Each structure stands twice: as structure tokens, then as C-alpha cells.
Amino acid sequence: MTTIYLKPHKEESLKRFHPWVFSGAISRVVLDASHKASAPEEGEMVVVRSSANEVLGVGHWQVGSIAVRILAFGVERLEKTFWRERIAAAYRVRESIGLIRPDNNTFRLIHGEGDFLPGLIVDVYADTAVVQAHSVGMHVCRMEIAEAIIAEVEQVKAVYYKSDDTLPFKAPIEGEKTGWLINDQMVNDQMVNAQMANDEYWSEENGLSFRIDWLRGQKTGFFIDQRENRALVERYAKGKDVLNMFCYTGGFSLYALRGEARTVDSVDVSQKAIDLVNINVAHNFPDDPRHHAYAADAFDFLSEQREKGSTYDLIILDPPAFAKHRDAVKNALRGYQRINAKAIEMIRPGGILFTFSCSQAVDKEAFRLAVFSAAAQVGRKVRILHQLHQPQDHPINIYHPEGEYLKGLVLYVE
Ligand code: SAH
């Protein structure tokens, strides 16, 4: 195997189990004999050693400022049982915290660094696992990963791979980035489409049924990361007029309806998302006159409602990541301030705002400051009731605080 030697003292973060080797920490690369090129191949498994030749771990080579993502510390190669053991360990966590139940078969099984598998995401929807690779190394290992999931997670019968949007853009990739990896039941796209059309395919979250379209949907098909925050909306919804802005497939709306909201308006710019919201609401709350869905831009919708003099008791704002990179943070903060100011203006006295940011590059303090600026701009008296974050199946590796991305505030607006 190719060996990566670090500069003196650069082994310290790896010894504290931080899973990344930055390119600046490398003193030299000794390629194994099979190489024709002058550098390791992206996705190749490499050994990392300190300047004193101590073995630090093995991981996937990457092109960019993060040069290696470590899979196992203190060893020179992965055991044959590596993937099964890691998947089984992750599954045990979800089981022990009570996420796997007949009324909840939707959960994140692998959350990258948070489950000690940097570059890998696995979401489970009933009998299907959706795998997403964020590194070429994980792409190379996708079949072993799929087989380990089938072997270790009883409910999963088919594994779908969806890495079109997540693999590094310029990397040379062999094989398909999207498609079925395993489907023992001979599932294929047509069958899934037919099942969905026949109203057969549902995934359960806390006793609510969701149609999850991983073939065409955003990310792996659903935003599991808002499960606990949706449950909190249910607690506050009773008797309220609710606006679920950036609703996607209507997660927060279903919980608000179950929590006896008076009315629920769901808004998303994507017509496909709105179609799914309507399917989900009709399945869980047939012929319920309390719900309306609108395919519209958030800013336009809020401006129009304001002109009409509409107000709400409870608003949820869960926009897409406004900052995808560090250099976009300033603009993102302006965006958060703008949308929050518009929402706060429309909340009735004594109402509640659930507001979120899923931009990893925008930290808690910066987000809170943007929301504070919005409240001050509108001149309303605002108190923080809850500070929210990502749920327990999206764990943060304590040695890798960069894994924290979702944050939210629940505000009481006088
Ligand atoms: N709250 C959702 C997840 C939201 S993801 C849930 O619980 O599942 C963000 C959503 O914002 C996406 O569905 C995207 O289509 C939508 N979106 C992006 N830009 C928008 C805009 N300008 N106006 C309204 N919706 C927008």
C-alpha cells in the first residue's frame, strides 16, 4: 500500500482521533509498486505514518486540502470484517436509543465522521437503504458497504446508490454514480414507481407515513434530521394557524396536523415537493380541510401574504443551506436576517417561530446574531424558548466538531 509520512508533530490531531489529514501536514508520499502515475489515485486506501515511522491509521486518499480521511486508527490495513462491524455498531446505537420500532422505520444509519466513516451517508426508509458517497474512496467501496448493510440490518432488502451530486466534481469516477447496488427482491426503478403509484410504498416516522422518493427527491429523498424538531412543533401546534415555509415533502406539516393545528399552510418552490406534500397529507389525514399547499418562492409568498394582511400563530422556516462554502457566509447571514425579519413581522402577538439553518459554515453564534438582527429590525420583543440541533442519529464525533451543522431557535414573539 502507498504510505503517507507526516511532518514532525503533525500526528497529534490523529492521535486525538480527528479523522482528517490535511495536505500541508504531509512530508512525503511513498507510492506502492503498482503505480504508474507520480501521485496516489483518488480513492486509494493509504497508510499514514508519523515522521518517526509510527503507524497512525489507514484511510482514503483524496485530492484537495483534506488529503486523507482516516477509516481506522492505529492499524495498517482494514480487517475483512471492517464494514460489517462498523455498520453493526452504528445500528446498535440507533437500536439502543429507541429509533427502531414498528412505527419508526426511517432513520439515518451512517452519518459520516459522526459514525467514524468519513465520506459516507446511509439513510434507511423501511426496506430500502439509500447510500451516498462524498468521497471517491467510499465510491470505490460501495458494493462492500451495500453487502454489509444487507447482512447487518434485517429490515433492509434493497440498497440504492445516489451520489450524483455528492462525489467530487472533477474526480475520475469508474462505474455508475446512481442506481441499485443490491435488490434481492428484484426491485427496480419501474417497480418502485409502480409501488408508489399503487399507494404501496410508505416509510414510517413516529407513526406518520411518508412517501419517500429517493429516485427523484432531494438528497437521499427525505430530511430525517428534523424528526425531533418536528415532534416539538406537534407539541405547540394545538389551535394554531401554522405556516410551514420551505416544507419540502411536508414533514413539519404532518406533525402540526396531528398536534391539532387549526390550519396549516405548506410552501415550497418545488412543484414536485408540493405534489408529495399533498400525497402525504391525503394519506395521513384524508379529506382534511385544514391543510393547503402552495408552490411558491418564500420571499414572494411572505410579501404577498403581508400585503393581504395575513398573519400566523406559528411559523417554521427551514431553508436550504444559504452558505455552501465559507466564502458565502456573509451573504448567507444577510439572507437569514431577511427571511427571519419577514417571518417575525407576520407572527401574531404571542406566536412562535421555529427557525433553522443547516449551513455547516454558519455557526450557532452567527446564526443567532442574524436572527437577533432580524428581531431588532422588526422591533418585536423576542425570547428564545429552545435551542435546537441535529438529532441523535446524526451524531457529532467529539473529536470532529465540524460535524455540527443543523441549528435552530424556537422564539416566542410578543
Ligand atoms: N423542512 C423540510 C426540509 C426543507 S429542505 C423537511 O422537514 O423535510 C429546503 C426546501 O426549500 C427544499 O424543499 C427546496 O425546494 C425549498 N426551497 C429552496 N429555495 C426556495 C425558495 N426560494 N422558496 C421556497 N422554497 C425553497
Side-chain angles (χ1 to χ4, degrees):
M1 249 199 295
T2 293
T3 305
I4 311 297
Y5 288 92
L6 301 188
K7 293 176 183 165
H9 309 299
K10 291 294 183 189
E11 71 281 4
E12 279 159 21
S13 68
L14 288 191
K15 287 196 161 170
R16 288 193 303 266
F17 304 109
H18 190 288
W20 295 348
V21 176
F22 289 98
S23 53
I26 295 174
S27 67
R28 70 200 162 96
V29 173
V30 179
L31 296 171
D32 76 7
S34 70
H35 282 81
K36 290 184 205 84
S38 56
E41 270 176 46
E42 184 146 29
E44 176 179 341
M45 200 78 81
V46 297
V47 188
V48 181
R49 289 177 178 266
S50 70
S51 55
N53 206 24
E54 189 184 357
V55 172
L56 299 168
V58 279
H60 287 141
W61 178 260
Q62 240 176 241
V63 174
S65 74
I66 303 171
V68 184
R69 298 222 231 182
I70 297 288
L71 295 173
F73 291 97
V75 293
E76 272 181 280
R77 58 179 51 81
L78 298 185
E79 298 286 333
K80 275 210 170 71
T81 51
F82 174 79
W83 295 105
R84 281 189 68 161
E85 278 171 17
R86 282 290 164 88
I87 302 259
Y91 184 74
R92 271 198 304 278
V93 174
R94 277 70 184 165
E95 207 171 29
S96 77
I97 55 180
L99 278 182
I100 296 159
R101 312 184 306 267
D103 70 338
N104 194 85
N105 58 20
T106 306
F107 58 93
R108 176 157 289 191
L109 174 63
I110 301 291
H111 184 62
E113 279 82 353
D115 284 296
F116 312 113
L117 290 173
L120 181 66
I121 297 293
V122 181
D123 285 339
V124 174
Y125 304 126
D127 59 4
T128 303
V130 182
V131 172
Q132 200 174 58
H134 288 250
S135 68
V136 181
M138 287 300 180
H139 174 77
V140 172
C141 298
R142 64 196 181 286
M143 254 342 272
E144 286 168 88
I145 294 166
E147 281 161 9
I149 296 169
I150 292 280
E152 294 296 338
V153 184
E154 209 188 329
Q155 79 181 64
V156 174
K157 308 289 180 224
V159 181
Y160 189 74
Y161 187 54
K162 193 173 179 195
S163 302
D164 262 337
D165 299 331
T166 56
L167 283 167
F169 181 59
K170 291 186 195 144
I173 307 277
E174 279 180 34
E176 297 295 323
K177 294 190 219 169
T178 293
W180 294 95
L181 293 176
I182 297 185
N183 49 56
D184 289 352
Q185 299 180 320
M186 304 294 293
V187 197
N188 57 36
D189 292 6
Q190 285 74 20
M191 279 180 61
V192 171
N193 285 333
Q195 272 186 334
M196 288 189 181
N198 289 337
D199 220 20
E200 282 169 30
Y201 190 89
W202 295 97
S203 193
E204 300 295 311
E205 184 186 90
N206 285 332
L208 292 164
S209 305
F210 288 91
R211 164 70 46 80
I212 293 170
D213 187 348
W214 57 87
L215 299 181
R216 286 157 295 243
Q218 301 178 27
K219 305 275 168 90
T220 67
F222 193 58
F223 291 86
I224 303 175
D225 59 1
Q226 289 287 24
R227 180 189 54 244
E228 306 302 318
N229 303 329
R230 294 196 265 255
L232 191 60
V233 162
E234 180 173 0
R235 263 173 59 192
Y236 286 130
K238 193 165 182 174
K240 297 200 163 82
D241 290 321
V242 175
L243 170 63
N244 179 10
M245 178 55 78
F246 305 101
C247 65
Y248 189 44
T249 55
F252 283 103
S253 305
L254 260 56
Y255 282 74
L257 289 166
R258 191 167 66 179
E260 299 177 39
R262 204 164 73 101
T263 64
V264 178
D265 287 347
S266 302
V267 181
D268 199 285
V269 76
S270 151
Q271 180 63 51
K272 271 198 272 180
I274 292 301
D275 292 344
L276 278 168
V277 176
N278 285 327
I279 289 173
N280 287 331
V281 172
H283 184 80
N284 290 274
F285 304 95
D287 303 318
D288 197 322
R290 295 176 296 159
H291 182 256
H292 294 95
Y294 304 91
D297 169 76
F299 289 94
D300 294 349
F301 183 88
L302 289 174
S303 301
E304 270 168 38
Q305 293 300 308
R306 182 142 194 269
E307 273 164 34
K308 281 199 235 155
S310 304
T311 53
Y312 291 93
D313 300 304
L314 194 160
I315 297 181
I316 300 133
L317 284 184
D318 183 23
F322 281 173
K324 297 226 158 62
H325 302 286
R326 297 236 153 253
D327 43 7
V329 167
K330 229 172 160 185
N331 278 339
L333 290 173
R334 265 190 235 119
Y336 287 121
Q337 180 178 338
R338 234 178 102 215
I339 191 87
N340 277 279
K342 272 184 169 296
I344 293 170
E345 271 185 328
M346 290 187 56
I347 293 194
R348 290 178 197 145
I352 288 179
L353 174 66
F354 278 70
T355 182
F356 296 95
S357 162
C358 59
S359 304
Q360 194 266 340
V362 173
D363 67 24
K364 263 200 296 258
E365 304 314 321
F367 177 60
R368 192 165 144 166
L369 191 61
V371 177
F372 158 87
S373 306
Q377 179 189 332
V378 180
R380 299 281 295 268
K381 215 166 165 188
V382 167
R383 276 175 277 180
I384 298 175
L385 302 183
H386 298 268
Q387 305 199 45
L388 304 178
H389 41 82
Q390 63 213 62
Q392 61 283 50
D393 50 349
H394 294 56
I396 302 159
N397 179 338
I398 203 160
Y399 308 113
H400 179 262
E402 298 93 326
E404 186 171 359
Y405 71 100
L406 181 63
K407 53 248 150 226
L409 295 169
V410 182
L411 305 177
Y412 186 87
V413 185
E414 275 183 35

